[in-house]
Amino acid sequence: MLTMACVLLASFFAGAPAPVFSLQVTGDWRVELGPGEAGGVSLAQAASFEITPPERTIVRDERHAVLPLYNPKAGGWVRGAKPRGIQTEECTATGKLYPETLRIKAGPGDAPVVFVEGKDYQIEPFWGTFGRVEGGAIGNNQEVFIDYAYEPDRLDTLAVNTSGEARLFEGVPSLGVVLPGDVTDGFTPVARVWVPGRGEALTEDTLYPIYFDSPGESPEPVAERLLPGTLAKLRSGEALTVVTFGDSVTCGGGVGSDQAQWWQGQFLARLRDRFPAAQLSWKNAGWGGASSAAYMKSPRGSEHDYVRDVLEPEPDLVVIEFVNDAYLDEAGVAEHYGTILKDLRGVGAEVILLTPHLVRPDWMGMDTNKVKEDPRGYVRGLKAFGAANNVAVADASALYCNLWRQGLPYMTLMANAINHPDVRGHKLFADALMGLFPRQ
């Protein structure tokens, strides 16, 4: 039986137009770039390139001041300490550690004491986290030193210049956020090659030819119809209060504390540019790791108080972002968001539903970074709920689903290698939101 991912890939690749510059695997680590013309450059003849395999990194004597107890009941990314080489924003990059190479020692170098797995410590091999075992030889406050090996990811760029020369530009090995290889002035990127750490050979799923037809903002703004009060205040300069209601991404997950890089900061700055008279105030109601239901159930007067944070400011506009609501199916969205909509309309607020970014493929039942249509019932539910209730929907998910056509595996935007997008990912949210508004 075909997997869900295979079915999805077969259905959309069958109907998708071919990229301008074809790209195919011709050997374990060799590709061929086909001729084509786009983006002001052309390639007359096919060009072949040897791709450098992922390079193993050896770490010796990494010091850990203390080693926590291994917690087998926790999520894989928090079961213990993290080898720093594979640590991302707050998690670890899965499958990049060679777990058999992990050695935990009582001292640096050729220490006289090397601890024993299963007796003194445990390791979660996929996530790479490790911790001491109760009753083992590692003391509560004992420093340890570890040796290990891992392989980072890389994203190479194939580019063509105006003279018709094709060249390979290797990316910088990294984990979490992986940036594409920078090209020399005069060259135009036409394809990218994803080199995953511990990959044994290239496959069709590691090839990312650029399609040169990637859409930007939505061409059909709906604010005149669905956000008339907000739009009128943006144009007139009357005070406008915006509340953003969401989870860790609404708290800057993936970009840190600089609010100018958050999707809200980017969105509001662009609103001010587009509507110079706008007088905006912004209140953030975000709770990392929580769903909207958890926020609504949090006690009055607590750190996260739904009534105080979302309703009492009497916002003109509420933007809702909850990737943590993705457990809901279409029926669940209709019921739960019906309650939220009633609350918000009860205080006179207009609403934008912001569809979520893509997260780890395995968490969505897939094994590919090439996703044409979001498979989650939650996303379908948000769109259906918006259509049925005259609520604006900013479809950031669709922009994430288009990244492969831009030569980008979407997971290369995830700062924590799970679900926290970097500044480019936050920009996609702002792009989707700005697409709802007319250009003046």
Side-chain angles (χ1 to χ4, degrees):
M1 174 180 265
L2 289 174
T3 65
M4 178 181 179
C6 292
V7 172
L8 284 170
L9 284 170
S11 65
F12 74 75
F13 280 128
V20 177
F21 297 86
S22 63
L23 190 62
Q24 61 179 338
V25 176
T26 56
D28 283 351
W29 297 103
R30 189 172 183 83
V31 298
E32 182 178 275
L33 181 68
E37 181 175 1
V41 297
S42 63
L43 182 65
Q45 295 182 335
S48 293
F49 297 92
E50 292 289 341
I51 305 299
T52 304
E55 298 180 8
R56 183 180 293 209
T57 299
I58 307 296
V59 178
R60 298 286 186 234
D61 297 333
E62 180 179 287
R63 177 180 176 273
H64 290 253
V66 294
L67 198 59
L69 281 171
Y70 184 77
N71 182 1
K73 296 182 179 179
W77 60 96
V78 287
R79 290 190 180 179
K82 304 173 179 66
R84 297 188 189 99
I86 64 167
Q87 186 165 352
T88 56
E89 181 195 40
E90 80 238 299
C91 303
T92 56
T94 55
K96 307 306 177 184
L97 177 74
Y98 285 91
E100 69 276 10
T101 68
L102 180 70
R103 296 174 70 245
I104 303 181
K105 307 174 297 181
D110 296 325
V113 177
V114 177
F115 298 109
V116 179
E117 182 182 356
K119 177 182 177 184
D120 302 319
Y121 72 92
Q122 291 284 2
I123 180 175
E124 207 297 322
F126 184 60
W127 290 92
T129 51
F130 62 99
R132 61 185 174 84
V133 173
E134 191 74 63
I138 303 174
N140 293 2
N141 299 307
Q142 180 178 354
E143 70 173 4
V144 296
F145 295 79
I146 64 172
D147 301 336
Y148 60 94
Y150 71 97
E151 283 183 358
D153 303 327
R154 201 179 71 245
L155 187 58
D156 296 348
T157 301
L158 298 174
V160 177
N161 65 12
T162 53
S163 299
E165 175 191 2
R167 190 180 297 179
L168 170 68
F169 297 88
E170 284 195 356
V172 176
S174 184
L175 291 172
V177 174
V178 184
L179 299 176
D182 285 335
V183 303
T184 302
D185 288 346
F187 279 83
T188 297
V190 299
R192 295 197 174 95
V193 180
W194 172 235
V195 184
R198 297 191 66 189
E200 297 180 354
L202 298 174
T203 67
E204 288 300 313
D205 201 51
T206 64
L207 305 185
Y208 287 79
I210 295 172
Y211 279 71
F212 290 92
D213 62 352
S214 300
E217 295 179 3
S218 168
E220 301 178 3
V222 298
E224 296 275 9
R225 179 169 57 88
L226 299 180
L227 304 167
T230 297
L231 187 57
K233 289 188 175 184
L234 288 171
R235 288 170 168 164
S236 71
E238 186 179 351
L240 177 72
T241 299
V242 179
V243 167
T244 50
F245 180 37
D247 48 33
S248 56
V249 176
T250 293
C251 297
V255 295
S257 61
D258 183 358
Q259 293 186 349
Q261 294 189 333
W262 296 14
W263 63 263
Q264 306 99 305
Q266 296 187 53
F267 170 49
L268 296 174
R270 289 165 65 175
L271 278 181
R272 291 185 178 101
D273 286 342
R274 187 172 294 185
F275 302 97
Q279 297 296 318
L280 297 168
S281 63
W282 166 44
K283 299 180 184 298
N284 198 45
W287 186 2
S291 65
S292 60
Y295 207 126
M296 295 167 75
K297 293 174 183 176
S298 184
R300 293 283 279 127
S302 64
E303 181 181 0
H304 303 287
D305 180 334
Y306 169 67
V307 173
R308 180 197 64 213
D309 300 343
V310 180
L311 303 181
E312 287 184 351
E314 297 185 353
D316 300 289
L317 175 65
V318 176
V319 184
I320 304 175
E321 173 283 317
F322 272 100
V323 70
N324 289 342
D325 279 357
Y327 67 93
L328 294 169
D329 59 16
E330 287 106 314
V333 169
E335 179 179 358
H336 178 62
Y337 277 76
T339 299
I340 296 175
L341 183 60
K342 181 179 179 182
D343 289 345
L344 296 179
R345 284 182 170 168
V347 295
E350 293 177 333
V351 179
I352 299 175
L353 302 176
L354 185 55
T355 61
H357 55 296
L358 303 176
V359 300
R360 288 178 57 94
D362 56 326
W363 287 9
M364 297 194 298
M366 302 182 302
D367 60 4
T368 179
N369 273 255
K370 296 179 179 179
V371 185
K372 183 178 180 182
E373 184 174 355
D374 197 310
R376 293 171 290 188
Y378 171 62
V379 172
R380 293 191 299 272
L382 287 179
K383 294 177 182 179
F385 180 81
N389 293 278
N390 294 316
V391 176
V393 177
D395 197 1
S397 167
L399 298 183
Y400 274 89
C401 290
N402 191 59
L403 286 173
W404 65 277
R405 297 175 67 85
Q406 300 173 38
L408 295 172
Y410 74 84
M411 282 300 296
T412 63
L413 277 65
M414 297 299 142
N416 64 352
I418 296 179
N419 62 355
H420 281 179
D422 67 3
V423 66
R424 297 170 297 166
H426 278 254
K427 179 181 179 296
L428 294 179
F429 290 120
D431 288 345
L433 289 163
M434 290 304 297
L436 301 176
F437 293 87
R439 296 193 173 275
Q440 58 185 10

